[in-house]
Amino acid sequence: MENNAVSLRGKKVALCVPDRIKHLENAIKWMNDPEVTQFVTTYLPVTRDFEEAWFDNLGKEREKNVVFAIETKDGKHIGFTGLHNINWHDRTAVVGAIIGDKEYWGKGHGTDSMMILLSYAFLTLDLRKVRASILAFNQRSLKHAIKCGYRKEGVSEKQYYKNGKYVDEILMAVFKNKWILFQNREFREKGELTFPQDICPKCAGKMKKLARPVSRSEYRNCWRCEDCGFETELTEMQK
Ligand SMILES: CC(C)(COP(=O)(O)OP(=O)(O)OC[C@H]1O[C@@H](n2cnc3c(N)ncnc32)[C@H](O)[C@@H]1OP(=O)(O)O)[C@@H](O)C(=O)NCCC(=O)NCCS
């Protein structure tokens, strides 16, 4: 179905104004799918009443929460994204993103929608800083956040109870001034995203170059994460 209320267009997706007729059923389905909700902080069943009220509130709360439906170029609804708790004094917000259609995981749609959302946050709303909270085991989300310019600010240890155990929350953030440089370099000059060399692909910690001895006279150059100890060959990181 064609959605006329497309707000922002990217390479793979468009961010559209949420529409009860087109997007409500998927929201109920995805927010009750354990394969999806394992990655977010909600844990209670989402009823139709609850979801309808959420849709109704979007218009009333738009100064505080700006939510978009994510659609592919051909109009297929695959998820939601948004800026929450917008603080106009400090010029901050917290990002939320869910690709509910699992067929579309890991194919670049999340990265594309996040870059459009950040462009809107920084260049339209003039926010200064956008934060993200990511469960430590959610490697796909961490990686896509890093690819969009987020950096790790800290860890809230054992913050959430998920899949039978307490898990760390990784606190990520991206600043407007740094993001503008980042997206200029990554998108305009190279025409595509590349993985930043000094960010740990496992936990988003800081990678440090070091020479590790392999024998008395031989050294192997590698990168080591100062936070989690993950190591990789120097050549791998230089791709
Ligand atoms: C997190 C999410 C928004 C990311 O969107 P996406 O379209 O799947 O992500 P992208 O394809 O743009 O980027 C993911 C990156 O992680 C990589 N990746 C995919 N699966 C991975 C995994 N299991 N472990 C590590 N990396 C993984 C991909 O290869 C890709 O990197 P690359 O482009 O360098 O190859 C989406 O997967 C999602 O909504 N998942 C379910 C709910 C969720 O986790 N929400 C976020 C809560 S913080």
Side-chain angles (χ1 to χ4, degrees):
M1 191 198 302
E2 179 69 19
N3 185 338
N4 295 322
V6 172
S7 295
L8 308 157
R9 288 180 198 278
K11 286 182 191 161
K12 290 179 175 240
V13 298
L15 301 191
C16 308
V17 176
D19 178 277
R20 231 171 127 128
I21 296 169
K22 191 170 183 190
H23 305 127
L24 176 72
E25 290 307 317
N26 280 335
I28 297 170
K29 186 168 81 184
W30 297 334
M31 292 316 289
N32 287 299
D33 179 347
E35 281 185 64
V36 175
T37 56
Q38 65 173 314
F39 296 116
V40 295
T41 55
T42 53
Y43 48 85
L44 295 173
V46 172
T47 61
R48 179 169 298 277
D49 284 353
F50 180 91
E51 208 56 35
E52 282 177 354
W54 183 77
F55 263 77
D56 288 345
N57 272 332
L58 288 178
K60 294 176 207 147
E61 290 186 349
R62 67 193 185 123
E63 293 281 315
K64 207 170 160 207
N65 295 301
V66 178
V67 173
F68 295 103
I70 306 171
E71 292 188 6
T72 59
K73 289 257 162 181
D74 51 6
K76 186 174 183 340
H77 178 212
I78 59 167
F80 291 96
T81 190
L83 298 162
H84 305 283
N85 296 334
I86 299 175
N87 181 319
W88 297 104
H89 177 266
D90 299 329
R91 294 168 51 218
T92 58
V94 182
V95 80
I98 280 191
I99 302 228
D101 188 328
K102 291 168 273 187
E103 290 292 305
Y104 286 84
W105 284 358
K107 294 180 179 165
H109 295 76
T111 299
D112 193 38
S113 56
M114 181 62 76
M115 288 306 272
I116 316 168
L117 186 73
L118 289 177
S119 162
Y120 176 74
F122 294 137
L123 306 181
T124 301
L125 302 185
D126 194 21
L127 296 181
R128 183 181 59 86
K129 176 180 182 182
V130 172
R131 293 184 293 129
S133 150
I134 301 178
L135 300 175
F137 64 84
N138 194 351
Q139 290 295 319
R140 192 170 37 233
S141 185
L142 275 174
K143 198 165 174 188
H144 111 286
I146 293 164
K147 281 169 60 185
C148 294
Y150 287 81
R151 297 292 177 262
K152 185 174 175 178
E153 286 202 316
V155 179
S156 192
E157 285 183 24
K158 299 192 185 340
Q159 178 67 21
Y160 293 108
Y161 191 65
K162 281 279 165 189
N163 301 327
K165 55 184 178 197
Y166 287 98
V167 296
D168 294 349
E169 173 191 26
I170 309 288
L171 308 167
M172 306 283 285
V174 54
F175 286 87
K176 176 179 178 174
N177 53 358
K178 291 192 181 151
W179 181 80
I180 286 173
L181 291 175
F182 172 83
Q183 62 98 33
N184 276 351
R185 194 180 70 237
E186 303 293 347
F187 274 97
R188 290 207 193 125
E189 290 174 16
K190 293 186 182 161
E192 58 179 10
L193 282 167
T194 55
F195 194 74
Q197 287 193 1
D198 58 345
I199 303 292
C200 174
K202 291 267 180 229
C203 77
K206 179 102 180 117
M207 298 288 271
K208 205 174 164 188
K209 266 189 223 175
L210 56 90
R212 186 166 284 303
V214 279
S215 67
R216 277 196 188 167
S217 55
E218 270 183 283
Y219 287 85
R220 178 173 64 87
N221 289 324
C222 67
W223 291 83
R224 185 167 206 282
C225 175
E226 289 180 339
D227 288 358
C228 73
F230 173 74
E231 269 188 29
T232 183
E233 297 283 335
L234 192 58
T235 45
E236 267 180 52
M237 298 293 286
Q238 285 176 327
K239 267 193 256 183

